[in-house]
Amino acid sequence: MLEVHDFWLFLSASALLWITPGPDTMYILARTVSQGRLAGMLSVFGVSTGVLAHSVFSAAGLSAILASSALAFTVVKFVGAAYLIYLGVQALRSNRKLSSSSGVVAQSCLQIFRQGFLTNLLNPKIAIFFLAFLPQFVAPDSNNSAGIFLFLGGMFVLGGTLWCLLLVGFATSFTGAVRSNTRLSEVVGKVTGMVYIGLGLNLLRAKL
C-alpha cells in the first residue's frame, strides 16, 4: 500500500499550481491560438508526458544529479533554452496566413507532440521542482518511496493535463476570429514566436 503523507494537502497545493499561469500555460495557449485546437491538445499531451518523465526521473533519483551538478544543470538548461529559441525563430520566419488546417499541414501530429515533450524534458527547473515538491508528501518510514513518487507524479500530471485541455477549449474560441483576419493572424504568429523566445531567455536565467 502506498503511504502518502498529507494527500489532500498535496492535491490542494497541486491545484494551485495547475491554475497558476506559467511557461507551460503560455506555450500551450500560444500553440493553440496560432495553430488550432488539435495542435493545442497535442502540445498538452506532449508537455504532460515531459512532466511525467520528470516524475520518473525523481523516482529513479536522476533529478538529484541535476540538483547536485552545476555542469549537468547548465548543459540541460542551455539545450532547452536553445530549443525554445529555435522554435521562436521558426515561428517568426513563418509569414503564412493561419488556416483551419495550418497546424497539421505545417507540422505532423508527431512533431507537435514531440516539441511539447522536449520543451519540458529539457527544462531542468521542472526536475528540481519535483525533487523539492514530491518528497514532502512521502511518509518518512515508507518502504516504497519510488512507487509513491510515481503515484504523486501521475496524479499531478493528470490534473494538470485536464486543466490545460480546458484552457485549450477556451483558447480555441479565439482562433476563429484570428484566422478570419489576415493581419491579425500574422501578428499572432509573430507574438507566438516572441513567446517561445521569451520562454527560452527566461530559462537561461534559471540558477541551480
Side-chain angles (χ1 to χ4, degrees), residues 58-135:
S58 295
L62 297 178
S63 293
I65 297 176
L66 282 177
S68 60
S69 172
L71 176 60
F73 183 90
T74 301
V75 169
V76 175
K77 178 181 72 172
F78 274 96
V79 172
Y83 184 70
L84 282 167
I85 292 172
Y86 165 77
L87 293 180
V89 172
Q90 291 295 102
L92 288 175
R93 293 175 59 185
S94 177
N95 295 317
R96 289 172 294 181
K97 179 181 180 297
L98 300 176
S99 67
S100 59
S101 60
S102 64
V104 292
V105 170
Q107 296 175 296
S108 70
C109 293
L110 180 59
Q111 285 178 315
I112 296 173
F113 173 85
R114 184 172 62 239
Q115 288 180 355
F117 172 69
L118 289 176
T119 57
N120 255 357
L121 185 68
L122 298 175
N123 189 343
K125 292 171 63 178
I126 299 176
I128 304 302
F129 164 76
F130 267 95
L131 196 61
F133 180 63
L134 295 184

Side-chain angles (χ1 to χ4, degrees), residues 89-197:
V89 172
Q90 291 295 102
L92 288 175
R93 293 175 59 185
S94 177
N95 295 317
R96 289 172 294 181
K97 179 181 180 297
L98 300 176
S99 67
S100 59
S101 60
S102 64
V104 292
V105 170
Q107 296 175 296
S108 70
C109 293
L110 180 59
Q111 285 178 315
I112 296 173
F113 173 85
R114 184 172 62 239
Q115 288 180 355
F117 172 69
L118 289 176
T119 57
N120 255 357
L121 185 68
L122 298 175
N123 189 343
K125 292 171 63 178
I126 299 176
I128 304 302
F129 164 76
F130 267 95
L131 196 61
F133 180 63
L134 295 184
Q136 302 176 55
F137 307 99
V138 178
D141 56 348
S142 173
N143 295 320
N144 187 18
S145 58
I148 298 175
F149 266 93
L150 292 175
F151 172 73
L152 293 176
M155 292 294 295
F156 186 87
V157 170
L158 176 61
T161 299
L162 294 176
W163 170 252
C164 288
L165 288 175
L166 183 62
L167 292 179
V168 168
F170 282 115
T172 300
S173 62
F174 177 68
T175 59
V178 173
R179 297 178 193 283
S180 62
N181 188 313
T182 303
R183 179 170 297 179
L184 181 57
S185 67
E186 292 177 351
V187 170
V188 168
K190 300 302 182 185
V191 171
T192 298
M194 295 303 296
V195 168
Y196 294 164
I197 292 174

